[in-house]
Amino acid sequence: MLVMIAGRGALPGLLSRRAAPGLVAALEGFPPDGVMADVTFRVERLGSLLADLVAAGATEAVFAGAIRRPELDPALIDEATRPLVPRIMAALGQGDDAALRTVIAFFEEAGIAVRAVDEFLPELLPPAGSLTRRAPGAADLADIERGMAVLDRLGPADVGQSCIVRAGQVLAIEGAFGTDWMLESFDRRPDGRGGLLVKAPKPGQDRRIDLPTIGPDTVSRAAAAGLDGIAVAAGGVLLLDRDDAIRRADDAGLFLEVR
Amino acid sequence: MLVMIAGRGALPGLLSRRAAPGLVAALEGFPPDGVMADVTFRVERLGSLLADLVAAGATEAVFAGAIRRPELDPALIDEATRPLVPRIMAALGQGDDAALRTVIAFFEEAGIAVRAVDEFLPELLPPAGSLTRRAPGAADLADIERGMAVLDRLGPADVGQSCIVRAGQVLAIEGAFGTDWMLESFDRRPDGRGGLLVKAPKPGQDRRIDLPTIGPDTVSRAAAAGLDGIAVAAGGVLLLDRDDAIRRADDAGLFLEVR
C-alpha cells in the first residue's frame, strides 16, 4: 500500500488522482491542499505513526507538497519516538535537506520504501529547451550560468534552491522562507527591474524529497518582481500547470528556459 | 599624496579627519557623505582620472564608503580608458569583489598604492569577545558557526557578506542589495521573530576594498527585524560608532559578538 505524506500546493491533489494512495497522512497544523488527510501526525509521535502505517499495510510512501519545519514540543514526545529523538534533534539543527533525509531514513528503516513524486508524474519534468516565445539572449545565458554556479556552491551548505541574477550580480538567494517570499520582497527592489530567477535542485539532493517546484504563480510573481525570465535545471525542477505557466510567461513577455 | 575615493556612510568623514587626504575623488552621481569631493569621475573615464591623479602627485589611495555599481555608457568612454575596457567589462560581469579587485589593479599599475581603511582607523576593528550585556547562548553559538560556514562556502562565488540564521536554518543570505535591505525585508518575515545576523568578509577578500561594516543603524534594523543578536568575524568587520552601537544593542536586548 502506498502512503502519501501530503503538504501544501497542487502536488497532493495531482498525485492523489494519479497514484491513488491507500492512505494520506499530513502534519498536524499543516492541512494539505486538494486532498483530505486520513491521519494527522506530529513529529514528536513519528515513531507511533510509522508503527501505525506498517500495521495498516504500508509498503511505500511518497512526499508530496510543501511542509514547513515544525516546532518541537519535548513534552509531546511519545514512547515509540523517544529512540529517534537524538537523530531528529541533530537533523533539525541542519538544513532542510538533512532534516528530510533523516525522515526518509526513518521510513525506510521501518520497511516503507520512499518513492519520488516524478516516478508517478513524469510529465511534471519539462524537457530541456525554451518553453516560451521569448528565449534568453546571450547576457541572459551568462546570468543563467552564473546563477547555476552559485546554487552549485551553496548546495553543500544545504541552503537555497534558487537565486535572482542580473548582469552578473546575484541580487538575492533563496533562504528558508522560499522562492515566493524572495520574489515578493522584490516589490521594494532599489534597482528598478531586470534579472532572472534561476532554480535548481541542490547537487546530490535526494530526489524523493522537496524537489524544487515552479508553477503559474511563480511566473506571475517573477513578472511582478520585474524579472525578464525564469531558468530551471533540466530534470530537476517540477513545473506545475505547464500550459498555464507558459501562457502567463508569454503574456508578461518572460522567457521560461529549461537547461 | 594620499587620495581618498569616497562613497556613502560614515567612513569618508572619519577617514578625512584622521588621514587628511590631499585629494578626495567621488563617483559621479554618488556624492560622498561627510566630505566634499575635489574631483568627480565616471568609470568610462577612469584612465583619465588615473593620469590626472598621478599628475597631481598621488602616490597612495584609500577607498572609503559604499559605492553602488554604476551603469556604463559606452559612448562616454574616453581615449585614456579605452585600453582598460576589456578588463572593466569582464570585471563588471563578475561579483563585486572581482570588480573592485580590477579597479585596485588599475590604481597600482598607475603607480598608486592602495591602502586599507583600517590601516588609518584600526580602532574600527573590535577585539574578539562579547561587547554587550547579553552574550550568545549555546544555541546562538551553533547558529553563529552555521552562518560563518555558509558565508565561507559562498565566498568563492563572490556573493554575500552576511546571512540570517535561526535554529540551524538559514533564513536569508545577503545579495547585491546589501545588509540593510535584507534586514528591512524582514518586516514581512512569516515566522515572527528570532535568529541572528552573521557578517564576515569573504574568504581571501582583499582587505583594501569593501570590508564589511556594521554600525548603530545595523543594530536598530536587526532589532526591528526581530533578531536576537549580531555576530561579526574578528578582525574582518568594521564597527562604526562602537559606543552607540553597543548602547542600542543593550537597549534592545541584543547581543553583539565578535568571533
Side-chain angles (χ1 to χ4, degrees):
Chain A
M1 185 189 70
L2 175 70
V3 179
M4 174 166 70
I5 315 298
R8 315 306 293 261
L11 277 181
L14 284 172
L15 202 86
S16 180
R17 288 193 294 279
R18 180 70 59 89
L23 199 145
V24 176
L27 206 56
E28 191 181 295
F30 300 90
D33 290 328
V35 65
M36 292 289 290
D38 302 305
V39 186
T40 63
F41 66 100
R42 296 188 57 99
V43 174
E44 297 90 339
R45 295 178 189 135
L46 189 58
S48 300
L49 172 77
L50 289 168
D52 292 347
L53 292 179
V54 169
T59 51
E60 295 186 310
V62 59
F63 289 74
I67 292 172
R68 192 162 288 167
R69 178 180 288 242
E71 299 282 341
L72 285 203
D73 180 349
L76 296 179
I77 293 168
D78 67 12
E79 208 50 53
T81 309
R82 212 171 303 277
L84 309 177
V85 167
R87 289 163 69 197
I88 292 176
M89 298 311 291
L92 287 174
Q94 300 172 59
D96 284 342
D97 227 35
L100 287 165
R101 247 181 243 277
T102 302
V103 172
I104 286 189
F106 291 150
F107 274 77
E108 305 233 296
E109 288 164 22
I112 302 172
V114 177
R115 298 179 59 184
V117 164
D118 62 285
E119 290 182 53
F120 301 98
L121 297 160
E123 73 274 19
L124 294 186
L125 288 176
S130 290
L131 302 179
T132 41
R133 284 200 294 269
R134 179 174 175 183
D140 298 317
L141 291 174
D143 281 346
I144 292 172
E145 205 172 309
R146 173 114 170 89
M148 294 284 183
V150 166
L151 297 181
D152 216 51
R153 277 219 70 85
L154 269 172
D158 199 2
V159 285
Q161 293 185 317
S162 78
C163 63
I164 299 174
V165 185
R166 176 174 177 260
Q169 277 200 299
V170 179
L171 303 185
I173 298 170
E174 179 181 328
F177 301 150
T179 307
D180 288 351
W181 192 83
M182 177 176 72
L183 289 171
E184 280 162 17
S185 73
F186 264 50
D187 62 350
R188 288 182 294 191
R189 61 186 290 179
D191 65 340
R193 53 163 291 115
L196 46 97
L197 174 70
V198 182
K199 193 156 185 174
K202 297 164 196 158
Q205 174 171 351
D206 191 317
R207 298 176 56 82
R208 296 170 300 172
I209 29 168
D210 196 29
L211 214 55
T213 301
I214 66 166
D217 286 349
T218 319
V219 173
S220 296
R221 286 196 175 90
L227 303 190
D228 296 318
I230 298 174
V232 300
V237 178
L238 301 174
L239 172 55
L240 300 173
D241 298 323
R242 188 186 309 195
D243 293 345
D244 190 24
I246 292 172
R247 193 178 44 73
R248 289 199 204 181
D250 280 336
D251 286 351
L254 266 65
F255 64 78
L256 196 49
E257 178 80 6
V258 183
R259 292 191 77 80
Chain B
M1 185 189 71
L2 175 71
V3 179
M4 174 165 69
I5 315 298
R8 314 307 292 261
L11 277 181
L14 285 172
L15 202 86
S16 179
R17 289 192 293 280
R18 181 69 60 88
L23 200 143
V24 176
L27 206 56
E28 191 180 295
F30 300 90
D33 290 329
V35 64
M36 292 289 291
D38 302 305
V39 185
T40 63
F41 66 98
R42 295 187 59 97
V43 174
E44 297 90 337
R45 295 179 189 134
L46 189 57
S48 300
L49 172 76
L50 290 168
D52 292 348
L53 292 179
V54 169
T59 52
E60 295 185 311
V62 59
F63 289 74
I67 292 172
R68 191 161 289 166
R69 179 181 287 245
E71 300 281 341
L72 286 203
D73 180 348
L76 296 179
I77 293 167
D78 68 11
E79 207 52 53
T81 309
R82 214 170 302 276
L84 310 177
V85 167
R87 288 162 70 196
I88 292 175
M89 297 312 291
L92 287 175
Q94 299 173 60
D96 284 343
D97 227 35
L100 286 164
R101 249 181 241 276
T102 303
V103 171
I104 286 189
F106 290 151
F107 274 78
E108 303 232 297
E109 288 164 23
I112 302 172
V114 177
R115 298 179 60 185
V117 164
D118 62 283
E119 290 182 52
F120 301 98
L121 297 160
E123 73 274 18
L124 293 187
L125 288 176
S130 288
L131 303 179
T132 41
R133 284 199 295 270
R134 178 175 176 184
D140 298 317
L141 292 174
D143 281 345
I144 292 172
E145 204 171 307
R146 172 113 172 91
M148 293 285 183
V150 167
L151 297 180
D152 215 52
R153 277 220 69 85
L154 269 172
D158 199 3
V159 285
Q161 291 185 318
S162 78
C163 62
I164 298 174
V165 185
R166 174 173 179 261
Q169 277 201 299
V170 179
L171 303 185
I173 298 169
E174 179 181 328
F177 302 151
T179 307
D180 288 351
W181 192 84
M182 177 177 71
L183 288 171
E184 281 163 16
S185 74
F186 264 49
D187 62 351
R188 289 182 295 192
R189 61 187 289 179
D191 65 340
R193 53 162 292 114
L196 46 97
L197 174 70
V198 181
K199 194 158 185 172
K202 296 166 197 157
Q205 175 171 349
D206 192 318
R207 297 176 57 81
R208 296 171 299 171
I209 29 168
D210 197 29
L211 214 56
T213 302
I214 66 164
D217 286 348
T218 319
V219 173
S220 295
R221 286 197 176 89
L227 303 190
D228 296 317
I230 299 174
V232 301
V237 178
L238 301 174
L239 172 55
L240 301 173
D241 298 323
R242 189 186 309 195
D243 293 345
D244 190 25
I246 292 172
R247 193 178 45 71
R248 288 199 205 183
D250 280 336
D251 287 351
L254 266 64
F255 65 77
L256 197 49
E257 178 79 8
V258 183
R259 293 191 75 81

